[in-house]
Amino acid sequence: MEQKDISISVYQANLWATPLLLIIGGITLLPFYLIYGNISLGAFGEIYWFIPSLIAGIILHEGVHALGWMYFGNIPFKEMKFGIHWATLTPYAHCKVPMKKSDYTIGVLLPLFIVGLLPYTVGLFTGINSLMWFGVVLTSAAAGDLLVFWLMRNVSNEELVKDHPNRVGCIIS
């Protein structure tokens, strides 16, 4: 069977994800503002909280990708690779083996829900600015994941896909 590459470069992904990141940020900030009347950064705005929170959130985000692929795709940890695309400062988790598109999709989207929308929602309902901001930033950080999801929109859930080794997207086997 012929393989089909459905990926874009990391540079292209960052170009597409940037406006999406801003849109997601705006959409998530609006409800908090409408409920509480402000969207101050609170403690999250302090550099000594922001930087460690961001680093921890990014590590958690990439780890959740891997855990999703390992659990739903039944993939061993040794098939995971982690790193940073230094030219664009883009962290990544990469699965080296193919899996069903449905399992791959879960791993792609899981960080959006667990690391982004869950803390955002808790922050929204409790009024905790710092937690809301953490969720906004990490929901916005999932813009690239949403791009991968969109790139795969015409792929059947039963088809085997393999995470692209150095681009954003996957290869259909």
Side-chain angles (χ1 to χ4, degrees):
M1 179 176 190
E2 185 178 322
Q3 292 187 337
K4 181 179 178 187
D5 184 334
I6 53 169
S7 68
I8 59 176
S9 74
V10 176
Y11 298 104
Q12 289 172 305
N14 283 335
L15 286 175
W16 279 100
T18 300
L20 185 56
L21 181 143
L22 296 172
I23 292 166
I24 292 169
I27 290 170
T28 53
L29 288 172
L30 183 61
F32 198 89
Y33 178 76
L34 293 174
I35 294 169
Y36 300 103
N38 74 57
I39 50 173
S40 71
L41 291 171
F44 192 69
E46 302 292 332
I47 195 76
Y48 56 86
W49 283 106
F50 179 76
I51 298 297
S53 297
L54 183 62
I55 291 169
I58 290 168
I59 291 169
L60 186 59
H61 177 107
E62 299 306 328
V64 169
H65 278 308
L67 289 172
W69 292 326
M70 289 165 48
Y71 182 79
F72 293 97
N74 198 28
I75 309 290
F77 181 75
K78 69 180 182 172
E79 299 298 343
M80 298 298 143
K81 178 182 173 189
F82 302 90
I84 298 174
H85 183 265
W86 288 106
T88 59
L89 292 177
T90 306
Y92 65 86
H94 167 67
C95 181
K96 299 183 269 186
V97 297
M99 68 188 86
K100 286 191 330 187
K101 183 232 179 176
S102 57
D103 298 331
Y104 181 76
T105 300
I106 293 170
V108 165
L109 295 178
L110 211 49
L112 167 66
F113 295 102
I114 292 176
V115 185
L117 291 174
L118 179 62
Y120 166 75
T121 303
V122 172
L124 179 65
F125 285 106
T126 62
I128 301 172
N129 273 359
S130 299
L131 192 55
M132 182 274 302
W133 273 106
F134 180 84
V136 167
V137 170
L138 278 267
T139 297
S140 298
D145 302 332
L146 291 170
L147 183 57
V148 171
F149 179 70
W150 182 78
L151 287 170
M152 298 187 308
R153 68 194 178 282
N154 295 322
V155 177
S156 160
N157 277 334
E158 297 304 313
E159 287 189 74
L160 290 179
V161 300
K162 182 178 180 192
D163 204 22
H164 200 288
N166 50 21
R167 293 171 54 90
V168 175
C170 58
I171 299 168
I172 312 302
S173 344

